[in-house]
């Protein structure tokens, strides 16, 4: 199907898979969702090409050992352009570190392609627009109706 709604939904699913893999440090999934000749462009840096260059970005991210990292991708637009699907989306990455919280806001202007009946990333373009620094967050939360705070892990 090539209608706009279907393309948007399929691209949103790929963005979700990507975001969750980044947050969980899952390099196998990241490898699985890209083309062999994937390109990655971060800001004004030169474009890099190939799976290993792509994964190196996320290996470096994993090396930071951020206790909690959550990416949210919204406002996904997708349009077919020949064999490519050109996408645009907003992202917010919240990095909850021991000494502070960083909220990174930006846009993805990516290219997805169909391979084997599913979409894959062919070009990942990340443009950060702002970084917000906040105090460290706590891992305690008092649910309504509970007498004691629980840790975030207890939910």
């Amino acid at each position: 199907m090539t209608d706009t709604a279907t393309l948007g939904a399929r691209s949103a699913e790929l963005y979700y898979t990507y975001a969750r893999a980044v947050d969980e440090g899952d390099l196998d999934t990241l490898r699985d969702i890209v083309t062999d000749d994937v390109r990655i462009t971060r800001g004004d840096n030169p474009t890099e090409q190939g799976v290993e260059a792509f994964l190196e970005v996320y290996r470096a991210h994993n090396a930071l050992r951020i206790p909690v990292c959550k990416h949210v991708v919204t406002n996904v637009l997708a349009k077919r352009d020949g064999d490519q699907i050109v996408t645009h989306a907003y992202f917010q990455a919240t990095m909850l570190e021991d000494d502070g919280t960083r909220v990174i806001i930006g846009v993805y202007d990516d290219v997805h392609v169909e391979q084997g009946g599913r979409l894959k990333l062919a070009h990942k373009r990340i443009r950060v627009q702002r970084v917000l620094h906040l105090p460290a967050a706590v891992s305690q939360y008092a649910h309504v109706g509970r007498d004691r705070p629980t840790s975030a892990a207890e939910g």
Side-chain angles (χ1 to χ4, degrees):
M1 299 183 116
T2 60
D3 67 87
T4 302
T6 300
L7 285 177
R10 293 180 71 210
S11 288
E13 181 179 12
L14 179 57
Y15 276 123
Y16 172 82
T17 302
Y18 163 82
R20 185 150 187 187
V22 172
D23 291 343
E24 294 178 355
D26 184 350
L27 297 177
D28 291 333
T29 295
L30 289 169
R31 180 185 314 273
D32 185 55
I33 64 170
V34 300
T35 61
D36 291 339
D37 60 348
V38 64
R39 293 177 293 153
I40 184 165
T41 306
R42 295 176 294 152
D44 294 330
N45 293 319
T47 298
E48 298 180 75
Q49 187 166 354
V51 174
E52 286 307 310
F54 178 83
L55 291 176
E56 191 54 39
V57 171
Y58 302 100
R59 285 186 189 107
H61 175 74
N62 291 351
L64 297 174
R65 303 208 184 282
I66 298 166
V68 178
C69 180
K70 296 294 177 196
H71 282 72
V72 176
V73 183
T74 65
N75 298 45
V76 176
L77 293 175
K79 294 182 181 179
R80 188 166 295 280
D81 184 9
D83 292 340
Q84 299 181 338
I85 299 164
V86 178
T87 67
H88 179 80
Y90 299 163
F91 76 87
Q92 178 178 311
T94 303
M95 299 180 187
L96 301 158
E97 299 165 294
D98 293 333
D99 58 346
T101 300
R102 285 182 292 145
V103 180
I104 301 170
I105 297 169
V107 294
Y108 295 141
D109 290 307
D110 295 347
V111 175
H112 301 168
V113 295
E114 182 101 32
Q115 283 189 353
R118 64 189 191 128
L119 294 186
K120 289 194 171 195
L121 277 166
H123 192 166
K124 181 84 185 134
R125 291 186 189 103
I126 304 169
R127 191 163 28 103
V128 172
Q129 296 172 311
R130 292 285 189 270
V131 179
L132 174 64
H133 295 273
L134 298 169
V138 297
S139 62
Q140 298 284 321
Y141 179 76
H143 289 277
V144 174
R146 302 271 311 238
D147 293 335
R148 64 175 181 86
T150 58
S151 71
E154 291 179 272

